[in-house]
Amino acid sequence: MADRQDKAALISETRRRFEAEYLPDKSDKYDSRDVERLQQDDKWVENYLIWRHDVVDDTLKMIDESFQWRKEYTVNDLTESVLPKWLFENGSIFLHGYDKEGYKLFWFRVKLHIRDPKQQLEKKKLVAFWLEHYAKRDHGKPLTVVFDMAETGISHIDLDFVRFIVNCFTDYYPNFLTKIVIFEMPWIMNAAFKIVKGWLGPDAISMLKFTNKNEVQDYISGEYLPPHMGGTDSFKYSYPPLVDDDFQTPLCENGPVTSEDEHESKEEIDVDTKETGDPSEEQNLIPKKMNSVEQIPKSEETDKTDFKPKNAKKALTTFKGPLLHISPAEELYFGSKETGERKCLIVLTNVTKNIVAFKVRTTAPEKYRVKPSNSSCEPGASLDIIISLHGGFAASLQDRFLIMAAEMDQCSGAGVSELTQFWKEVPRTKVMEHRLRCHVVESSKPSTLTLKENAFNIPAKTNEDLHIQLTRLLQINKRLQEQIDRCLWFQQLLVVLSLLSVTTAAFCFYLVYTQRS
């Protein structure tokens, strides 16, 4: 508690001093969006402080330098459309896969880089584009940089470009680097990397990992290494579309998925056309459970929680998107092979007035079965998605899930053919995306939507299951109460109409009686 209070005080001091000492004289050198974010995003300020060892003077200098650089490179406005297409097609720089600690890999394929002063600025902007793209998408989670230097020579050495990459992590993107894995650096480049070490500084030097085929798997598992690095990853870079975590469509537990968009790779289509999973899994269909959500006091999007060890209790959280509320918000908890927890529950709640189509993708389609993986959710309804580990596979920190959702027109159907056509035609700008990562629980069970195998046949007696059941009953009760309220309203309306009818009839009888008299 004291540490958090101290950190909050440092964040407040940093903001106050930046506004007083830097902003008056240099406001024209900063992007107003960065200044606004600095005042609102505690995590961003904290990362600056961490990267400068909580020394406020050094932190302010870094903020000043990075803000000026961000405006010079128009970082907030870097998109695919403003960068030359050939930059993406070249495939020398991209994001793909995860290291053994679950950090995203930022690849530099050095042999594809040609030193050309005329293209230098555009290549630097491409690096900035990828860094900003990932920073915004994954809320500043650090990266692992991989320099693949296989088959490189003296013609590929570009110290100016390397220095720019180093500066991005040391000066512009605070606390954004976990390690730099250098694969098979040619001996002729030893002298060049002595210069690079001088740019990195003592803290970052410890992050350098020089590797070969025998050593690189100390940091990155073979499933995310290409064959020439001793791995088994069959990934082949191509553009378009933009490489985005290589999410693929998993098998639906009750059959293959057929509704996919036109940009999917052949590998994804092959996954779709496989046969279904184990019959034993088919028999263990889960009875529907309603979501247990925790109201979010600070953020409209995600319930932020501090990092906790693997065996710590973690409260249920909800991501509040414009189309769907998704629970849990950030992590799916699977058990280790010892605990035997091999199923997880994702709860989607449609918060719109229209039907919302959704589909689920994963970076490890061979491991998981998802039910349903491609369907739709009615307005105001909640829907459960069951994610099951398949066969003898175990969850890992590198595994990710992507939930894509888009609002359908009232006249659109929600059948398989309609969904197939819908995903082919819906603009990418109208698709909501949310990512979930996997967390492996070694011992004690966290308070999250993790389902045990025997939960299908034996009623669960844990506090968590009772809490879920209670929440479900409360939500059912709420729906019943709403229906009762509507019935009462109609009943009152009928009473009023009946009284009006009786009054009208009495008045008519009165008129008839007076006329006869």
Side-chain angles (χ1 to χ4, degrees):
M1 180 65 72
D3 289 341
R4 294 304 306 169
Q5 289 176 346
D6 292 342
K7 185 66 71 174
L10 285 172
I11 291 172
S12 178
E13 181 185 353
T14 301
R15 284 173 171 154
R16 179 183 57 79
R17 288 186 56 185
F18 179 80
E19 190 171 348
E21 299 173 19
Y22 287 84
L23 201 54
D25 299 327
K26 297 185 177 182
S27 60
D28 60 324
K29 296 182 179 180
Y30 305 145
D31 188 318
S32 60
R33 289 168 289 186
D34 292 331
V35 176
E36 182 179 356
R37 181 184 171 192
L38 189 77
Q39 297 300 326
Q40 297 176 353
D41 191 340
D42 289 353
K43 184 63 178 177
W44 202 29
V45 182
E46 184 177 352
N47 282 338
Y48 277 109
L49 286 163
I50 291 171
W51 210 233
R52 288 297 181 260
H53 306 289
D54 289 340
V55 178
V56 176
D57 287 337
D58 294 343
T59 300
L60 290 169
K61 290 177 183 177
M62 182 180 182
I63 293 173
D64 172 50
E65 185 176 349
S66 67
F67 275 24
Q68 291 190 54
W69 171 82
R70 290 175 66 85
K71 184 168 185 179
E72 178 188 352
Y73 276 76
T74 62
V75 170
N76 287 311
D77 298 312
L78 288 177
T79 62
E80 285 182 75
S81 60
V82 302
L83 293 171
K85 187 178 179 181
W86 67 264
L87 279 175
F88 295 101
E89 293 174 336
N90 176 260
S92 60
I93 304 170
F94 56 89
L95 292 165
H96 170 67
Y98 302 87
D99 68 10
K100 285 190 170 181
E101 297 175 279
Y103 295 111
K104 190 71 179 171
L105 299 177
F106 191 21
W107 290 84
F108 290 85
R109 299 181 66 196
V110 181
K111 75 173 184 178
L112 299 179
H113 176 79
I114 304 299
R115 186 172 47 197
D116 184 351
K118 295 179 181 179
Q119 300 174 355
Q120 198 76 309
L121 179 60
E122 290 174 332
K123 290 180 178 179
K124 289 178 178 179
K125 285 191 173 185
L126 178 63
V127 174
F129 164 82
W130 277 117
L131 291 173
E132 194 67 13
H133 173 77
Y134 181 73
K136 288 178 178 177
R137 195 191 71 192
D138 277 60
H139 312 293
K141 188 176 181 182
L143 291 162
T144 290
V145 172
V146 182
F147 282 102
D148 178 5
M149 303 187 73
E151 302 177 26
T152 58
I154 195 72
S155 63
H156 300 103
I157 296 178
D158 189 344
L159 289 180
D160 178 59
F161 189 59
V162 173
R163 183 163 194 170
F164 172 80
I165 296 168
V166 169
N167 287 345
C168 282
F169 291 103
T170 57
D171 299 330
Y172 308 143
Y173 284 87
N175 199 31
F176 206 50
L177 179 67
T178 61
K179 65 183 78 69
I180 301 174
V181 178
I182 301 170
F183 178 73
E184 289 192 351
M185 187 184 75
W187 65 269
I188 200 169
M189 295 188 180
N190 283 336
F193 262 85
K194 286 182 180 178
I195 298 173
V196 173
K197 286 181 179 180
W199 296 335
L200 284 170
D203 293 331
I205 283 178
S206 63
M207 298 179 181
L208 282 175
K209 312 295 179 185
F210 293 91
T211 64
N212 54 33
K213 265 190 181 183
N214 297 325
E215 299 162 343
V216 69
Q217 292 200 36
D218 292 343
Y219 309 103
I220 305 168
S221 62
E223 64 180 310
Y224 289 118
L225 290 173
H228 75 270
M229 296 176 73
T232 58
D233 192 357
S234 59
F235 167 77
K236 301 291 184 185
Y237 179 88
S238 64
Y239 179 86
L242 194 68
V243 175
D244 190 6
D245 277 332
D246 310 303
F247 283 104
Q248 300 176 34
T249 302
L251 280 181
C252 182
E253 197 168 335
N254 63 346
V257 180
T258 57
S259 54
E260 292 305 318
D261 61 55
E262 60 188 346
H263 296 304
E264 285 180 347
S265 66
K266 181 178 183 301
E267 185 177 1
E268 292 172 22
I269 296 171
D270 289 343
V271 172
D272 289 344
T273 56
K274 288 180 182 178
E275 292 188 353
T276 59
D278 293 342
S280 59
E281 290 189 28
E282 184 68 28
Q283 295 169 4
N284 292 332
L285 297 178
I286 291 186
K288 191 168 184 65
K289 294 188 178 182
M290 301 305 296
N291 63 327
S292 175
V293 297
E294 181 177 292
Q295 293 299 322
I296 300 172
K298 294 178 68 176
S299 169
E300 290 187 1
E301 292 187 359
T302 304
D303 195 0
K304 307 286 184 180
T305 55
D306 293 334
F307 175 81
K308 294 183 180 180
K310 289 182 179 179
N311 60 352
K313 297 283 183 181
K314 185 179 179 72
L316 290 173
T317 57
T318 300
F319 168 81
K320 292 193 171 183
L323 305 181
L324 296 175
H325 287 183
I326 301 172
S327 181
E330 296 180 353
E331 293 183 326
L332 296 174
Y333 281 78
F334 288 93
S336 62
K337 288 185 177 181
E338 290 74 21
T339 61
E341 294 167 358
R342 298 176 56 78
K343 294 181 183 284
C344 276
L345 177 67
I346 300 175
V347 181
L348 306 182
T349 302
N350 183 351
V351 294
T352 74
K353 295 181 179 179
N354 294 319
I355 296 174
V356 171
F358 70 88
K359 55 183 176 180
V360 183
R361 290 182 173 182
T362 178
T363 56
E366 72 284 355
K367 288 185 180 182
Y368 299 96
R369 297 294 179 264
V370 177
K371 177 182 173 64
S373 63
N374 195 327
S375 187
S376 61
C377 188
E378 296 291 327
S382 292
L383 184 144
D384 296 348
I385 298 174
I386 311 301
I387 298 182
S388 313
L389 277 163
H390 177 59
F393 287 109
S396 67
L397 295 175
Q398 294 93 342
D399 298 343
R400 298 289 192 277
F401 285 85
L402 172 69
I403 297 173
M404 304 172 67
E407 197 169 6
M408 303 181 74
D409 295 333
Q410 291 283 5
C411 58
S412 301
V416 173
S417 59
E418 289 86 357
L419 286 171
T420 301
Q421 191 63 30
F422 172 76
W423 284 113
K424 286 182 179 180
E425 297 175 351
V426 64
R428 184 67 182 264
T429 54
K430 293 187 177 181
V431 178
M432 178 193 118
E433 295 186 351
H434 184 65
R435 291 162 174 78
L436 297 166
R437 54 184 178 269
C438 291
H439 192 100
V440 180
V441 182
E442 297 296 341
S443 54
S444 61
K445 182 180 181 181
S447 177
T448 183
L449 294 173
T450 304
L451 306 177
K452 285 193 174 183
E453 294 285 352
N454 64 1
F456 302 109
N457 301 318
I458 302 174
K461 299 300 182 182
T462 63
N463 287 337
E464 177 199 343
D465 292 317
L466 291 174
H467 177 62
I468 293 173
Q469 292 174 15
L470 177 60
T471 304
R472 181 184 180 185
L473 290 173
L474 288 173
Q475 293 203 6
I476 293 172
N477 182 66
K478 182 180 177 181
R479 290 198 188 98
L480 291 173
Q481 186 63 49
E482 290 173 351
Q483 293 175 0
I484 291 170
D485 290 341
R486 283 195 293 270
C487 291
L488 288 174
W489 185 83
F490 280 115
Q491 187 181 47
Q492 291 170 356
L493 180 61
L494 289 172
V495 169
V496 171
L497 292 174
S498 299
L499 289 173
L500 286 174
S501 300
V502 171
T503 304
T504 303
F507 182 69
C508 291
F509 281 122
Y510 173 76
L511 290 177
V512 171
Y513 177 77
T514 53
Q515 287 175 357
R516 288 179 178 178
S517 300

